[in-house]
Structures are given as structure tokens and as C-alpha cells.
Amino acid sequence: MASRKSLTLTCVMLLSFACVSCDMDVPLKEMVQARTLISKARFVLAEKYDPDNLTKAVEHLFDSHSMLVEKKAKQARESAVKAANFAEMAINASLPKATGDTLAEAKSTYEEAEKLNAGEFAPDQFRRTGEAIKESEELVGADDLMNAFLKAREAVGVGTEAKEISMSNIPKLNETIAGMKKEIDGLSSVKLTEKQKQTLAGARSGLDRAGARITEGNLIDAMALIRESEEALNEVRGAARVVSASDRIASLRKEVAQLKKERGGEFAAEDLDLVSASLNEAEALLQQDKTEEALRKIADAETSLAVAKDKTLKGVATGRAESVERLLAEARKKDGEGKFKDELDRAALMVEDGRKLLAGESYGESMEKFEEAELLIYSLGIVRERDRLKGDGAVTDLEGKRVYRVIYNRKKRDCLWRIAQKVYKDARLWPLIYMANKDQIKDPDLIFPGQRFVIPDIPEKKGPRPEEKGGDPAIKEDDDSTGGEGATE
């Protein structure tokens, strides 16, 4: 409303000048002065602090313009002077209040910026805010209220800028807190002492309080809590790294032992020795609290172990390739009629693919190809054996000895006591067969189709018959639990 009236006054004033300036003595000076003082009154917030005098000043200036239109120069001058006087009163009444309130606002803004840690995030703006406040206070003391008011306004503006810059760091601080909490959760799974666990709990509590301070706009306290939590976390980090390093050393030793079982000592003995040496040094360094150096040694051990695994896998894959190729050649010889030609050709292609992968240092993939080929060839052998062993087992003479060939029968598998029942008519005599064929039978509970066992004669000497191992001499025909699990496929 005031700005619209001001625009109207300006238009009326210009129109008045245009209409009457040539015919009468226009009080231009008085009217311009009144207009300037009214603008100044508005600047010092007279609309808030002294609206009555400001309204009167505007009305008298409007009246002055009206008088000019009516060519009443004297009355126009009088109204302009009154407008200036009322504007001056509005300024005098408003300026002290505006200065005091704006200075208070500047100080409040400065305090908020300080809590938002503007001293770190926006140091230039924060410094300038403090300086402007100080200058404003000094000008108030010198009774130079207008300049004091101007400095206070400047302090509010720069202080607000400092706050905005500081608040832009809040997302980053929240991310830091979230990351530290995640790390604390990870450390909770590490073997720690009770004191270290309490330290972690204290760090998490500090981070929770830091988050609350951020919400309150108190970044300076929040950052102090974050730093405290960081120090506590660092303390546990160091201990956790030692524990982790010790666990890693133990794990690597197990991997070395396992690799040796998998022929690592045959293909990568020197590399495995390097692994062991590095781990020994790492252990010694941990005992001397030289964690960083120990971690470097562990890294060396891991590198050497990776090389050893690679060499071992290459050696095993190469040996597997040669073994499968021999197996394939033997299978082709046995397949004289070409019954399994297509399958053996397919196995040969698998071997060829495996060789290419082996040459390309894809050892794991090459092993898969060789194993595929091997399984295919073995499956063909089983089929061939099934065809050959469809009939009953038979006792034949071989170089003056009776020989029994183990058969394949899914429903009623051959086992030592069943064989004894067939050849001796007494299942309890199975240990005779076992003792005569120990070179073939590693485990009396496990025999295979195609095996040929010598069938010894029953000793002529009278006496108790051999009993089964630790079992009941009464053996039922359908019992598979003694004298061999039975012929497997």
C-alpha cells in the first residue's frame, strides 16, 4: 500500500511540475526534501516503529502535490514542509529502535553461525560478521545511529551467508556419522576385550549425541563429539587390526597346509616356503607392536600363496590332461567295435578344449573340461561292464585255482558273505575269501564289479569255523551288513 502510494505521489509530483512550473513558483526543494526524508524513514523501518508520523508525512506530501495542481504554491510549500517534519520525526523515533533490534539480530545471527561452526566452514564471512557488529556498537556509542544501523544490517547479511555455508556441510557430517556407525558394527564381530567393547559402545553413544546436536543446529558441539568418537574408534581399530592380522596369519597357514595336501609341495615348494617365512616375520612384528609392517608381510605372504596356488593348479591340470588322454586312448582300444565312437569323440573334444584353456592359463576351467571328459569315459566303462556282468557270478579255474568274478546286481549286490554262501554253502566262511584276497580287498565292506577273488579250499583241520568280525555267527540271507557292503556300480 505504501509503495503504491509512493508511486502515485511521484507521478502526481511529475505531472504537477509539468502543469504549473511555467506559471508559478513551485516549491521543488521542499517537496524533494520531504520525499527523500520519507524514503529514509521507510529505510529505518518507520512503518514498523512509527507508522503514524510516516503516514502523516506521506499524506502532507500528497496534499502538497494537490495544491500545485490547483496552482496554490504557498499552500503546497507549507504541506511539503509539514511532510518533511513528520518524516523527520518518524526517522528520529524509528532509528534508535531499528538500530538496536538490527544489532540484536546481527548478534543472534553471529551466535547461530558460531554454533554451526562457521569459524571453520565459513571463516571469512564469520570474521566479517563479528567485525561489523563491533563497528556498529562503536558507532552507537558515538551516537552515529544511521551508520550503526547500516553496519548492523551488513552484519546480518554476512552472518546469514556464513550460516548457509555452514549448513551446507550437514549432509556430509551425517554421512560421516553413518559411516562410523557402520564401521563400529563391523568391529563388533571382531574378538575384542571387554574394555574395547565398552569403548566402541561409548563411541556409538557419542555419534548418537552428535546426530542430535546437528538436528539442533549445533554443529560445533556435534563435530567435537564426532572427533571424540573418532579417537575412541581409532583405539579399537588398532587392536582389531592386530586381531584381524593374527586371524589372517592362522588362516593362511591352513591354506598352505591344504595346498600341500593338494600337491602344492610338488609344484610350488619354493613359493610355499616364502609364504611361511613371510608369516613368521609378520607374527614377530605383531609381537613388537609393528602392525603396519606386519600387514605388509601378510600381503607378501598372500601374493606368494596366490603364485603357489597358480603353479599348483597348473601342475595338477597338466597331470590331469595327460591322465585323461591315456584313459581316452585305453577306452578307444577297448572299444574295438566302435560302439562308443561318438561318445569318445565328444570326450576327445573336451580334452582338446581343456588343453586350449590350459595353454591360455585358465587352469580352473581346463580342469573342469578334463573332469567332464573323464566322467564321460568312466560312464562308458560302467555301461560296458554292466553288459559284460549281466549273468551270475561264476567260479572258474585259473592256473589250478578257483576264481570268482564279482557281479553287478542292483537288487542283490555281491558281497563277501553272499559269495561264501554261493561257493561254500556257508556265509560264515567269508573271512577265508577276505584273507586270501587282501591284496585286492582294502575294506571287507567294499568290493567292486569285475574283481576276481581266489576261492581257497576249506581247511581240513577240524575245529570251529571262522567267524565274522565281531558279529553274530547267525547270518541271514538278506543281511547286507557283514562281509562287504556289496558290489557297487
Side-chain angles (χ1 to χ4, degrees):
M1 179 70 181
S3 60
R4 185 180 300 174
K5 200 165 187 179
S6 174
L7 179 60
T8 302
L9 287 174
T10 302
C11 294
V12 170
M13 186 175 177
L14 292 172
L15 182 61
S16 299
F17 290 164
C19 294
V20 303
S21 59
C22 297
D23 301 326
M24 57 181 295
D25 183 17
V26 178
L28 182 60
K29 180 180 177 182
E30 290 80 357
M31 294 178 77
V32 170
Q33 183 181 15
R35 182 73 181 89
T36 301
L37 289 172
I38 288 171
S39 296
K40 186 176 180 181
R42 287 199 175 100
F43 180 70
V44 297
L45 310 178
E47 288 174 322
K48 176 181 179 181
Y49 298 113
D50 193 5
D52 291 341
N53 282 326
L54 178 61
T55 301
K56 290 176 182 178
V58 171
E59 289 174 351
H60 279 295
L61 183 57
F62 191 82
D63 290 343
S64 177
H65 298 160
S66 298
M67 294 298 177
L68 282 179
V69 173
E70 297 175 9
K71 296 185 179 181
K72 297 176 180 180
K74 182 179 179 182
Q75 290 90 332
R77 181 176 283 103
E78 290 173 355
S79 292
V81 170
K82 287 180 181 180
N85 289 336
F86 279 115
E88 191 74 46
M89 285 189 285
I91 291 169
N92 292 335
S94 301
L95 185 56
K97 295 177 182 178
T99 302
D101 287 353
T102 304
L103 187 55
E105 182 184 357
K107 290 179 179 178
S108 176
T109 302
Y110 183 83
E111 289 173 0
E112 290 171 5
E114 186 175 29
K115 283 185 178 181
L116 287 167
N117 204 24
E120 180 176 339
F121 294 130
D124 183 55
Q125 290 83 351
F126 186 65
R127 175 185 54 78
R128 283 164 52 201
T129 302
E131 290 174 352
I133 290 171
K134 184 178 180 182
E135 287 182 51
S136 179
E137 289 176 329
E138 290 173 352
L139 289 166
V140 168
D143 206 24
D144 186 354
L145 294 184
M146 179 52 73
N147 284 324
F149 175 68
L150 292 173
K151 277 295 176 184
R153 280 173 58 90
E154 180 186 335
V156 170
V158 181
T160 300
E161 184 183 351
K163 283 172 57 179
E164 290 173 352
I165 293 172
S166 297
M167 290 174 69
S168 69
N169 287 276
I170 288 177
K172 186 177 179 181
L173 290 175
N174 284 329
E175 286 178 12
T176 298
I177 290 173
M180 291 174 68
K181 284 184 176 180
K182 186 175 181 181
E183 186 177 0
I184 287 172
D185 291 340
L187 287 171
S188 299
S189 62
V190 178
K191 298 174 186 176
L192 300 173
T193 65
E194 198 59 38
K195 181 180 178 182
Q196 289 164 348
K197 290 178 182 178
Q198 291 174 1
T199 300
L200 275 187
R204 175 175 273 283
S205 175
L207 292 173
D208 288 338
R209 294 199 305 276
R213 296 296 181 277
I214 289 173
T215 303
E216 296 166 2
N218 189 347
L219 300 193
I220 195 164
D221 285 354
M223 291 188 67
L225 288 166
I226 290 172
R227 282 191 289 270
E228 288 176 11
S229 297
E230 181 72 21
E231 289 174 6
L233 193 52
N234 279 334
E235 180 182 332
V236 181
R237 274 189 193 121
R241 289 177 77 192
V242 172
V243 173
S244 178
S246 297
D247 289 346
R248 186 61 186 141
I249 289 171
S251 176
L252 288 170
R253 290 195 190 284
K254 288 180 181 178
E255 289 186 52
V256 168
Q258 183 61 35
L259 191 58
K260 285 181 177 179
K261 290 180 182 179
E262 296 168 356
R263 302 175 66 188
E266 179 181 343
F267 299 110
E270 291 183 5
D271 298 288
L272 289 176
D273 288 343
L274 285 174
V275 175
S276 297
S278 295
L279 293 178
N280 290 338
E281 290 183 55
E283 270 184 333
L285 289 166
L286 283 178
Q287 291 172 1
Q288 300 169 33
D289 292 328
K290 296 179 179 179
T291 307
E292 289 298 328
E293 294 177 42
L295 290 173
R296 283 195 288 271
K297 285 296 177 183
I298 291 173
D300 291 343
E302 289 173 334
T303 300
S304 298
L305 184 58
V307 172
K309 286 180 177 179
D310 206 44
K311 287 183 179 180
T312 301
L313 193 54
K314 178 181 179 181
V316 171
T318 301
R320 194 62 170 273
E322 294 169 354
S323 172
V324 175
E325 285 168 347
R326 285 195 299 270
L327 188 64
L328 180 61
E330 290 171 6
R332 286 195 187 280
K333 286 181 182 179
K334 290 180 181 179
D335 188 38
E337 298 178 0
K339 184 177 180 180
F340 301 112
K341 181 180 183 304
D342 291 343
E343 288 81 359
L344 291 173
D345 287 345
R346 186 149 53 92
L349 286 175
M350 292 176 187
V351 174
E352 184 179 345
D353 289 342
R355 278 290 188 184
K356 289 177 182 177
L357 289 166
L358 184 60
E361 299 184 357
S362 298
Y363 307 128
E365 294 176 30
S366 71
M367 283 285 287
E368 291 175 6
K369 287 293 180 182
F370 297 142
E371 287 169 4
E372 264 185 83
E374 190 175 62
L375 284 172
L376 176 57
I377 296 167
Y378 275 132
S379 69
L380 298 177
I382 290 171
V383 172
R384 186 168 53 248
E385 195 66 24
R386 281 179 180 173
D387 292 343
R388 191 168 65 84
L389 300 175
K390 282 181 180 177
D392 293 333
V395 178
T396 59
D397 288 331
L398 181 64
E399 298 180 356
K401 295 180 181 179
R402 290 197 303 163
V403 175
Y404 180 89
R405 185 181 67 211
V406 180
I407 67 168
Y408 171 79
N409 188 321
R410 181 177 292 277
K411 292 183 178 179
K412 212 167 188 181
R413 297 170 295 171
D414 254 350
C415 60
L416 292 183
W417 70 263
R418 276 202 177 103
I419 296 171
Q421 181 65 35
K422 288 179 183 180
V423 299
Y424 297 133
K425 307 303 182 186
D426 190 340
R428 292 175 298 180
L429 295 176
W430 69 264
L432 292 175
I433 302 171
Y434 170 62
M435 296 302 294
N437 297 277
K438 286 184 71 174
D439 58 328
Q440 294 186 67
I441 306 172
K442 304 303 180 186
D443 182 343
D445 290 330
L446 193 62
I447 61 176
F448 302 94
Q451 283 184 306
R452 285 175 167 77
F453 298 147
V454 172
I455 306 299
D457 293 332
I458 300 174
E460 294 180 2
K461 185 177 180 179
K462 302 294 183 180
R465 292 175 175 176
E467 302 294 340
E468 56 187 309
K469 298 184 298 180
D472 190 331
I475 303 173
K476 296 181 180 179
E477 174 64 23
D478 293 331
D479 185 4
D480 286 351
S481 63
T482 310
E485 183 179 294
T488 61
E489 295 186 35

